[in-house]
Amino acid sequence: MNILLMAIMVVFGVAAILTVIRIVRGPSILDRAVASDVLLTEVMCVLGAEMAINGHTRSIPVLLIIAAVGVFGSISVARYVARRDNTTP
């Protein structure tokens, strides 16, 4: 079980580092938005794995809030990009 937990931590750690690099480097706002959604999803997966391993459900409200932030953030970025594209001739 410890080897499995270490493998999970390494995979999620590497994925988080690569995602942060994509957020920093860009190059467009859509790349950054997708990368931030991926990072939020990774955080949700880690919290879900922690709940499954420890056998509790105390983190469900946190998961719901993170999911709502991700959805509203994606909608905001999509509306911003759509509005910016409509004003450009």
Side-chain angles (χ1 to χ4, degrees):
M1 187 71 161
N2 287 337
I3 296 172
L4 180 62
L5 290 176
M6 287 300 281
I8 290 170
M9 287 192 304
V10 167
V11 168
F12 278 121
V14 169
I17 290 170
L18 292 173
T19 304
V20 169
I21 290 171
R22 176 50 56 193
I23 290 172
V24 171
R25 291 186 64 196
S28 72
I29 191 168
L30 293 176
D31 290 331
R32 289 182 172 103
V34 170
S36 65
D37 283 342
V38 169
L39 189 60
L40 286 175
T41 303
E42 289 172 12
V43 169
M44 290 174 57
C45 288
V46 168
L47 284 173
E50 187 270 332
M51 284 191 320
I53 290 168
N54 293 327
H56 67 83
T57 58
R58 292 184 301 265
S59 300
I60 289 179
V62 176
L63 288 172
L64 291 173
I65 291 170
I66 292 172
V69 167
V71 167
F72 293 137
S74 296
I75 291 171
S76 300
V77 169
R79 289 184 63 143
Y80 171 76
V81 170
R83 195 172 293 152
R84 187 181 66 180
D85 287 345
N86 285 339
T87 60
T88 306

